[in-house]
Amino acid sequence: MKVRLGDYIKEYSVRNKNGEDIPVYSVTNTQGFCRDYFGKEVASKDKTSYKIVPKGYFAFNPSRINVGSVDWQRNENRVIVSPLYNVFSVSELLDQQYLYYFLKSDFALQRIKAVATGSVRDNLKLDMLYEFPIELPSIEEQREITRRLDLTRRLISLREEESQALDELIKARFVEMFGDPITNSKGYPVHHLSDFIDFLTSGSRGWSKYCVDDGDEWFITIKNVKNCHISLDNMQPINAPDDAEAKRTKVHEGDLLISITADLGRTGVVTKEIANHGAYINQHLTCIRLKRNSLEPLYVAYFMESPAGKEQFTSKNRRAVKAGLNFNSINTLRLLVPPKSVQEEFINFVAQVDKSKLFLSRVA
């Protein structure tokens, strides 16, 4: 049956036996749980009031930045949170973990954002949370649902661990085939990346006006590029203009993308699927079209994600006025250039591992 969540919520306030508020202090201003116990004294100028969250209680963040984020205090005897949080417990008729899953669900988060209000900041007061509708089967059914969800989460976690192990396998195979990339233990020729670049450009600025939910193509951002791959998760749809800027920043199959601001040196290679769909890069990325007779883009991506590549990005960033790389920084990146046949052997190995990862994702 569907019920009003507020009928099962108990508000909580911290009081001593005389009915007075208990002072709670912390040096650290944390967005999550802080393990300091209440009553701890610190330098007066550093004192910040916090709310106590006893074990088994919920802390609900109503602020704009994290509106709707919820923590369930299940391990420590007592922890503290920012005074902005709504702290509450629930009736024994509502399983705590069942409620936690509900508040973390897409349905709850969408509703929270829809009702969040405030002229200065979006916020969700506790009385608004009271009005939330929630399906409330019997306590036995709630616990069976949470048991199944716990099992699902565990299986997903195991799949993620297996996927990470496969990533480590690729890194180990890279060193096995090409040696230590820093010391160049196999003595491969060393070149500047510019020796093999046919085309180099950075992405477009000010394209937010072209970003639409029903866009026909994709706008690749830095969040999509990581660990030598381009993720399709959260890809921004776009209706790109028909102009020279779009033609310049549209990617082709095999293009190497590297992040040039913020988290420098993230890499990915444009797949046939992405190229056929149509995609463009934003200003935080650079697109490199390589001479394929000498270099495999995916090999270059893995080299740049290796300690030898990361060391260069860190060094170039240190010398820059602000975080970011220019074309000269990209052109002067150095890399080992093994025989093309060895690069291709490594690429084939990566492809087999990727198939295993795809299988894991489908059964998760």
Side-chain angles (χ1 to χ4, degrees), residues 9-120:
I9 285 180
K10 302 176 184 177
E11 280 197 80
Y12 181 78
S13 61
V14 181
R15 302 268 177 168
N16 63 19
K17 62 182 180 181
N18 297 321
E20 300 168 333
D21 287 335
I22 299 175
V24 184
Y25 302 114
S26 172
V27 176
T28 306
N29 184 4
T30 176
Q31 292 181 350
F33 285 145
C34 176
R35 298 178 187 276
D36 293 344
Y37 287 96
F38 65 88
K40 181 178 179 180
E41 294 290 337
V42 294
S44 59
K45 67 177 181 179
D46 293 327
K47 288 183 180 179
T48 303
S49 180
Y50 275 73
K51 285 183 180 177
I52 299 170
V53 187
K55 189 174 182 178
Y57 283 69
F58 290 84
F60 192 85
N61 189 346
S63 69
R64 167 182 292 208
I65 297 176
N66 293 302
V67 63
S69 66
V70 61
D71 283 300
W72 171 35
Q73 213 299 85
R74 69 187 92 181
N75 297 318
E76 302 293 326
N77 288 328
R78 53 195 176 189
V79 293
I80 59 179
V81 293
S82 162
L84 292 174
Y85 278 71
N86 295 314
V87 177
F88 61 91
S89 64
V90 294
S91 161
E92 292 75 16
L93 297 175
L94 180 54
D95 183 80
Q96 293 177 358
Q97 189 147 341
Y98 178 82
L99 175 59
Y100 180 71
Y101 279 129
F102 168 74
L103 293 176
K104 288 286 192 180
S105 69
D106 289 339
F107 166 79
L109 290 174
Q110 289 171 8
R111 185 176 176 89
I112 288 166
K113 291 177 180 178
V115 301
T117 60
S119 57
V120 178

Side-chain angles (χ1 to χ4, degrees), residues 208-223:
S208 58
K209 59 188 174 184
Y210 303 124
C211 296
V212 291
D213 291 339
D214 58 349
D216 295 327
E217 297 176 293
W218 286 324
F219 198 40
I220 304 173
T221 66
I222 193 171
K223 67 183 179 183

